[in-house]
């Protein structure tokens, strides 16, 4: 007896399939099965599907008992949607297509990090633009002020603030770096020596008034005492005052919950660096001698290096920097894996080098340093194998390091390139959205204007 055939129309292209295939589809809980079940109650013998006819051929091959392949020339994302519609698990893909499909899915998961952050950023910007025209005067001031502080592309005052802030950040870092160089330091003058010696200055007074030059009992002045040039003090005071006013202004104009203000990394950097600077000032007031020589307060001084992190505030709106941060986040597991392998290899080759009997390796911790330098292909040359066995170990250590880095680093590079290419799509879309929102926001708008999610498929 002739097997019953069911005619289906997939986006205008007709197929005839057996009842067995229809039964297989209806057994799965998918959209296609619901359409087949609904069709049983109608007199029309043709089942219509508004799906991609080019992809249906692969779906039909799978239900006929053949292998499932991704058709050439089609987007894996669209094929993934078709698999879901027809109730097919992606694990049934053939081995030749599985790698391509898994790579695509992993890339989409990675890009979701950028997409979520971009959506949040655009929604915040849209909300601020809406608040600029709101009825509440204080909310309007907050929104306008925060746009100036955080969005350099929104107005001329925002650009002026950005370049001014950049100038102060660079000046602050310039002062921090230059004060450690001998060219930017000078000897103390009399008033500073008085501050340095305190009550003991009378014993050294002869060095300055010339009255006791022949007196050999006058103790000599310390030779290693110096201070930075005066203009560096002025730079430091001006920049500290500017950053103090800036952080207070940011806190006052912060348009969201104040608790989230202290969760922002850059705000914490500003607060911490200011606390360090004021701590140094109070410590110098309590003991002026600490300004001119090394002391326990140097622990506080070394924390000034936190000021360098202010550079992140300057570059955070640049696409390249943001893409780099996204790539680091997305490659966190690979970086952790590489670190673990480096530690294991360091322990192994460090121990081998020490027990090789080479006197160039006095201890296992010293050998650890040599192993890390060798695996990362730096090779300072401070520790060099001298016998045949340790040279063989060194060669294996170098080859292992090269292979390890060659395997892990391309994953990070791939994520960076992928984020950078995708960011171009977002940049174009966000510029168009901002232009449209600026023109259409009503005067009494209180709600966030909906932001359209941009994906490669929608473009």
């Amino acid at each position: 007896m002739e097997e019953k055939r069911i005619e289906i129309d997939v986006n205008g292209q007709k197929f005839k399939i057996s009842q067995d295939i229809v039964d297989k589809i209806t057994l799965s809980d998918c959209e296609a099965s619901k359409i087949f079940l609904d069709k049983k109650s109608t007199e029309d013998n043709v089942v219509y599907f508004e799906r991609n006819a080019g992809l249906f051929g692969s779906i039909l091959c799978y239900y006929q008992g053949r292998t499932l392949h991704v058709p050439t020339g089609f987007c894996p994302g669209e094929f993934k949607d078709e698999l879901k519609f027809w109730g097919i698990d992606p694990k049934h893909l053939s081995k030749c297509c599985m790698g391509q499909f898994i790579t695509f899915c992993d890339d989409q998961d990675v890009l979701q990090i950028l997409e979520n952050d971009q959506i949040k950023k655009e929604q915040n910007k849209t909300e601020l633009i809406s608040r600029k025209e709101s009825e509440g005067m204080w909310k309007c001031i907050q929104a306008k002020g925060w746009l100036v502080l955080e969005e350099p592309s929104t107005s001329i005052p925002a650009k002026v603030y950005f370049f001014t802030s950049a100038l102060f950040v660079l000046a602050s870092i310039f002062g921090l770096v230059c004060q450690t160089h001998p060219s930017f330091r000078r000897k103390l003058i009399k008033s500073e020596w008085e501050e340095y010696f305190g009550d003991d200055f009378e014993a050294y007074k002869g060095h300055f008034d010339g009255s006791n030059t022949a007196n050999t009992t006058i103790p000599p002045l310390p030779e290693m005492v110096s201070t930075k040039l005066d203009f560096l003090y002025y730079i430091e005071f001006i920049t500290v005052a500017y950053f103090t006013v800036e952080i207070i202004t940011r806190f006052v104009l912060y348009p969201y919950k104040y608790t989230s203000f202290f969760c922002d990394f850059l705000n914490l950097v500003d607060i911490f660096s200011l606390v360090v600077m004021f701590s140094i000032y109070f410590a110098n007031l309590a003991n002026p001698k600490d300004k001119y020589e090394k002391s326990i307060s140097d622990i506080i001084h070394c924390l000034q290096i936190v000021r360098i992190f202010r550079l992140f505030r300057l570059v955070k709106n640049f696409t390249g920097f943001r893409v780099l941060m996204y790539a680091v986040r997305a490659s966190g597991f690979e970086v952790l894996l590489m670190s673990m392998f480096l530690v294991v290899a360091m322990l192994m080759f460090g121990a081998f080098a020490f027990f090789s009997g080479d006197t160039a390796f006095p201890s296992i911790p010293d050998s650890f340093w040599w192993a890390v330098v060798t695996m990362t292909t730096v090779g300072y040359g401070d520790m060099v194998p001298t016998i045949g066995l340790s040279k063989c170990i060194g060669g294996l250590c170098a080859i292992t390091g090269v292979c390890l880095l060659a395997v892990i680093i391309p994953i990070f590079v791939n994520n960076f390139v992928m984020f950078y290419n995708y960011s171009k799509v977002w940049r174009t879309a966000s510029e168009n959205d901002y232009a449209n929102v600026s023109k259409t926001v009503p005067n009494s708008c209180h709600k966030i204007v909906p932001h359209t999610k941009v994906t490669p498929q929608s473009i």
Side-chain angles (χ1 to χ4, degrees):
M1 188 172 67
E2 185 178 357
E3 184 180 6
K4 181 180 178 182
R5 294 279 177 173
I6 306 297
E7 184 176 354
I8 64 174
D9 186 313
V10 181
N11 208 21
Q13 189 172 345
K14 294 185 178 180
F15 299 85
K16 287 188 177 181
I17 61 177
S18 64
Q19 184 62 44
D20 291 339
I21 294 178
V22 175
D23 293 339
K24 291 179 182 179
I25 296 175
T26 53
L27 287 176
S28 61
D29 185 17
C30 62
E31 295 295 327
S33 66
K34 296 177 183 178
I35 295 176
F36 277 117
L37 294 175
D38 293 341
K39 203 64 183 177
K40 290 183 178 180
S41 60
T42 63
E43 297 180 357
D44 192 357
N45 294 326
V46 181
V47 184
Y48 296 93
F49 292 94
E50 294 183 358
R51 309 298 299 181
N52 193 316
L55 295 174
F56 181 72
S58 297
I59 304 295
L60 185 58
C61 287
Y62 170 76
Y63 278 115
Q64 289 174 343
R66 289 176 283 177
T67 55
L68 180 63
H69 296 273
V70 179
T72 304
F74 288 93
C75 175
E78 188 176 4
F79 186 69
K80 182 180 180 181
D81 294 337
E82 290 296 315
L83 293 180
K84 182 179 180 181
F85 179 84
W86 294 99
I88 302 176
D89 196 315
K91 68 181 181 181
H92 297 299
L93 274 170
S94 61
K95 295 180 180 179
C96 61
C97 296
M98 181 63 78
Q100 174 191 359
F101 187 81
I102 290 177
T103 300
F104 170 82
C105 293
D106 290 343
D107 289 347
Q108 293 303 303
D109 293 339
V110 170
L111 286 175
Q112 194 64 38
I113 299 173
L114 172 63
E115 194 169 338
N116 292 338
D117 287 351
Q118 286 292 101
I119 290 174
K120 182 179 179 181
K121 185 175 184 296
E122 293 302 317
Q123 286 179 341
N124 290 339
K125 183 189 288 187
T126 306
E127 181 183 7
L128 290 175
I129 296 172
S130 302
R131 288 186 180 184
K132 285 174 63 177
E133 306 298 335
S134 63
E135 295 179 358
M137 181 177 295
W138 176 241
K139 289 185 177 180
C140 179
I141 294 174
Q142 277 186 316
K144 290 181 179 180
W146 195 250
L147 283 174
V148 170
L149 295 175
E150 287 293 313
E151 300 293 341
S153 60
T154 55
S155 63
I156 293 178
K159 291 183 175 65
V160 173
Y161 166 76
F162 173 79
F163 287 110
T164 303
S165 182
L167 180 63
F168 276 95
V169 169
L170 295 177
S172 175
I173 295 175
F174 172 80
L176 174 63
V177 173
C178 290
Q179 69 180 358
T180 61
H181 195 275
S183 301
F184 293 88
R185 301 192 69 83
R186 61 170 176 80
K187 295 182 178 180
L188 275 62
I189 61 176
K190 181 180 178 180
S191 59
E192 291 169 336
W193 281 115
E194 290 182 15
E195 190 177 35
Y196 177 83
F197 289 117
D199 297 336
D200 299 330
F201 179 71
E202 289 296 329
Y204 299 87
K205 192 174 181 180
H207 290 285
F208 307 101
D209 57 14
S211 58
N212 295 322
T213 54
N215 190 353
T216 57
T217 60
I218 300 176
L221 294 174
E223 296 182 357
M224 302 302 295
V225 178
S226 63
T227 186
K228 57 190 176 183
L229 296 179
D230 294 341
F231 81 95
L232 293 178
Y233 281 108
Y234 299 144
I235 290 177
E236 181 179 293
F237 294 149
I238 293 173
T239 53
V240 168
Y242 173 82
F243 291 130
T244 303
V245 173
E246 182 191 41
I247 196 64
I248 294 174
T249 304
R250 284 182 171 275
F251 182 77
V252 172
L253 295 179
Y254 193 66
Y256 312 109
K257 292 182 178 179
Y258 285 114
T259 53
S260 61
F261 179 86
F262 298 99
C263 298
D264 185 84
F265 172 74
L266 296 178
N267 290 336
L268 292 178
V269 166
D270 285 339
I271 294 172
F272 183 77
S273 60
L274 288 174
V275 169
V276 168
M277 292 306 301
F278 283 111
S279 299
I280 292 174
Y281 294 153
F282 286 124
N284 291 339
L285 287 176
N287 188 8
K289 190 175 182 178
D290 292 344
K291 289 193 297 184
Y292 309 111
E293 67 176 5
K294 294 181 179 180
S295 64
I296 194 171
S297 64
D298 288 343
I299 298 176
I300 302 177
H301 281 270
C302 73
L303 297 178
Q304 294 182 70
I305 198 67
V306 175
R307 280 193 276 176
I308 295 177
F309 288 109
R310 286 193 177 119
L311 286 173
F312 290 153
R313 192 180 291 281
L314 300 182
V315 299
K316 69 175 184 177
N317 289 313
F318 290 100
T319 302
F321 175 76
R322 297 180 63 193
V323 167
L324 179 62
M325 291 296 100
Y326 289 132
V328 171
R329 288 174 56 187
S331 307
F333 176 76
E334 287 77 13
V335 173
L336 180 63
L337 191 65
M338 181 179 68
S339 302
M340 184 185 70
F341 286 152
L342 281 174
V343 170
V344 172
M346 177 193 72
L347 294 172
M348 184 175 64
F349 288 109
F352 287 166
F354 174 75
F355 289 111
S356 67
D358 195 336
T359 57
F361 305 101
S363 65
I364 291 182
D366 292 328
S367 301
F368 288 163
W369 163 253
W370 166 83
V372 171
V373 170
T374 303
M375 284 189 293
T376 55
T377 68
V378 177
Y380 289 117
D382 54 341
M383 300 180 68
V384 181
T386 57
I387 62 176
L389 180 58
S390 61
K391 288 180 180 179
C392 292
I393 295 172
L396 290 175
C397 181
I399 294 172
T400 302
V402 170
C403 294
L404 178 62
L405 297 177
V407 170
I408 301 297
I409 290 179
I411 299 175
F412 173 80
V413 175
N414 178 65
N415 288 336
F416 179 85
V417 173
M418 180 175 58
F419 276 128
Y420 185 77
N421 292 333
Y422 195 72
S423 67
K424 295 179 181 178
V425 177
W426 267 103
R427 184 168 52 188
T428 303
S430 62
E431 288 175 356
N432 295 335
D433 288 349
Y434 176 72
N436 294 333
V437 169
S438 299
K439 295 177 181 179
T440 58
V441 172
N443 291 336
S444 59
C445 181
H446 290 278
K447 297 182 180 179
I448 299 176
V449 178
H451 177 79
T452 304
K453 183 178 179 180
V454 180
T455 62
Q457 290 81 4
S458 64
I459 293 175

